[in-house]
Amino acid sequence: SATKPPAGPPVLKSGYCVKQGNVRKSWKRRYFVLDEFSISYFKCEQDKEPLRSILLKDVCKTHECLVKSGDLLMRDNLFEIITSSRTFYIQADSPEDMRSWIRAITGAVQALKTRPREISFMRS
Ligand code: 4IP
C-alpha cells in the first residue's frame, strides 16, 4: 500500500531514549518525536498514540544533567527537560545524541518564541 501522508507538523528529530517516571521513578525505553510544537514519547516507534506530549511552550530549559544524586548517578548522557510542572530526566544512547537532542529541543523552543504571535495562535 502507498505510504501514508504525515499526520502532523514535520518531525525535527526522533529516536529512542530512556526516561524516568515521575512518581515511581522507573526507567523506560521510549520513542521520542520532536516537532515544532511538542516533544512526545511513544511506547514504540510503530505506536500512533503517544504516552505523553510535552508542549514546547511549557518548556523552560533543556540541558545536560550534571548535578546527579540517587539513581541518576548511574546514568550517562543524561539530560533534563524542565517545565513548570515537571522535570523530565532522559538518557540518550551517546554523548553525541544527548547533545543533538538538547540542541534540537532548545532550537525548537527558541523558534516557537520568536515566531509571530498570530501564527502560533492559529496553529494551537
Ligand atoms: C511508570 O512506571 C512508568 O515509568 C511511566 O512511564 C511513568 O509515567 C509513571 O510515572 C511510572 O509510574 P511503572 O510502569 O513501573 O508503573 P511511561 O509513561 O513512559 O510508561 P510518565 O508520566 O513518566 O509517562 P508516574 O509519575 O505516573 O509514577
Side-chain angles (χ1 to χ4, degrees):
S1 68
T3 311
K4 279 188 284 179
V11 172
L12 301 174
K13 183 175 170 67
S14 62
Y16 280 94
C17 293
V18 176
K19 58 159 281 290
Q20 190 181 43
N22 198 28
V23 179
R24 280 170 57 99
K25 309 291 183 198
S26 57
W27 292 87
K28 300 282 161 94
R29 192 163 185 83
R30 298 297 180 228
Y31 191 73
F32 284 78
V33 177
L34 173 71
D35 66 36
E36 60 184 313
F37 301 109
S38 65
I39 177 162
S40 304
Y41 50 86
F42 299 75
K43 207 173 172 72
C44 65
E45 187 175 351
Q46 289 72 29
D47 272 12
K48 297 282 172 283
E49 290 304 319
L51 294 166
R52 187 185 298 278
S53 288
I54 307 163
L55 295 179
L56 295 184
K57 69 173 178 59
D58 297 331
V59 173
C60 311
K61 204 165 176 25
T62 305
H63 59 62
E64 182 174 2
C65 183
L66 293 169
V67 182
K68 299 178 186 175
S69 64
D71 69 339
L72 298 182
L73 270 171
M74 309 292 290
R75 309 254 158 193
D76 295 326
N77 316 320
L78 195 66
F79 65 101
E80 49 191 347
I81 301 175
I82 303 171
T83 74
S84 48
S85 55
R86 173 172 172 183
T87 295
F88 293 85
Y89 291 97
I90 302 169
Q91 183 183 29
D93 284 348
S94 66
E96 294 72 30
D97 198 39
M98 178 197 69
R99 285 193 289 269
S100 165
W101 273 112
I102 293 169
R103 206 181 308 120
I105 297 166
T106 304
V109 168
Q110 201 50 46
L112 198 60
K113 277 186 186 149
T114 56
R115 189 167 301 139
R117 180 177 296 275
E118 60 274 21
I119 296 178
S120 49
F121 175 74
M122 283 167 63
R123 300 289 297 266
S124 66

